[in-house]
Amino acid sequence: MTQSDQDRPEIVVGLVATPPDHPARVAAPLTAELAARLADGVDGDVRWTVREGWGDVAPRRDGGVEALLDDLAQRRADDRWDIAICLTDLPLHAARMPLVAQTSARRRVAVVSLPALGLHQLRAARAAVPDLVSSLLTDASDQRVPPAGWEPADMARRIPAVHRVIGEADPGERRYVASGLVGRIRLVTGMVRANRPGRALLGLSKLLVGAFGTAAFALTTDTIWQMGDALGGIRLAVIMLLGLAALVTWLIVAHDLWEKPDRETPTELARLFNLGTILTLTLATAVSYVVLFVGTVLVGALLIDTSVLEQTLQRPIDFTDYLTLAWITSSLATVGGAIGSGLENEETVRAAAYGYHPQPDGWRDEKGGQPHRKG
């Protein structure tokens, strides 16, 4: 016979996102479905209640996982949760390996590093969080649920990001780490995913407008036509790469996006932050370049008559000549667009820095404070 809701024991799980930017976007859909996943995967005879929150749990940029777990445990006790899980976009490490998750049955809490999960973070979190809850309840000898029917080492098979478990000799105090090379690659790609390159791309609208203006002017100059015809593919590729590199460098320097090591940010963490920033901006500017290139091809084909181009180059032409013209024009215009980037909204551009967390729309923490900001 099915137990009534009043007869079933209740277990409250708190899901905390810190800082409240990308982790909150992962936590929101996970919170809505976690109770059902816990009922299906852990125990269907329990009333699972899932709470979502921010507030007192601060992101620990110094890599202090234990301090983060202590903050989380205090938050769990204050809100009277049975279990608390923290989702963070900070890259964490254990034994020089990327840390995917860490549990503490003594404190009845766990932390999950979203970047270590790679590109598909919500999907991986959906699989990992119920297992972490089950493991914590089992290790804490909670009689309301049966012991987990799997070993902690099985997480390596259930979650692709997990390579092995450290600390199995100390029940409940475990660290789930990734592999060396593959884990670091997954961590870096996960950082770029968490940094939302699409946001950086949309934020560089004035840069793109400035580059289009420069490209339109360059298309009317027959000197550019002759330069494009004279330069080979290798030299054009070098000019393109130099233009993109100059633009990324200008964005970092002009908007103070470079993370400097200090007492709060160790050297290794600062390097990861800077790598995440560089890759995010590189991806955003590369997509901008493609958009600029396609637009320049279309405008060039529309405005420059074939006979005029043939007269200037003194040879028959075909569509590849328009591609070459757009290539050199886009590369030169990219450098010109860097000037326009100085006019971008400071908040929008700085959002591309991995160590900077802008406040999500409509968000304010439970004490009325502001989220963590770089610098």
Side-chain angles (χ1 to χ4, degrees), residues 212 215-216 219 294-304 322:
F212 267 121
L219 282 174
V294 172
T296 304
V297 170
L298 296 176
V299 172
L302 179 65
L303 296 182
I304 303 174
Y322 285 98

Side-chain angles (χ1 to χ4, degrees), residues 100-105 127-128 130-140 147-177:
V100 179
Q102 183 164 334
T103 63
S104 174
D131 281 356
L132 293 174
V133 171
S134 176
S135 177
L136 283 170
L137 291 172
T138 296
D139 291 334
W150 54 275
E151 295 296 325
D154 292 341
M155 281 277 281
R157 292 194 299 269
R158 301 160 75 96
I159 311 299
V162 176
H163 178 63
R164 61 191 176 95
V165 183
I166 300 175
E168 291 182 271
D170 186 5
E173 307 294 319
R174 299 190 178 92
R175 291 173 290 175
Y176 300 86
V177 298

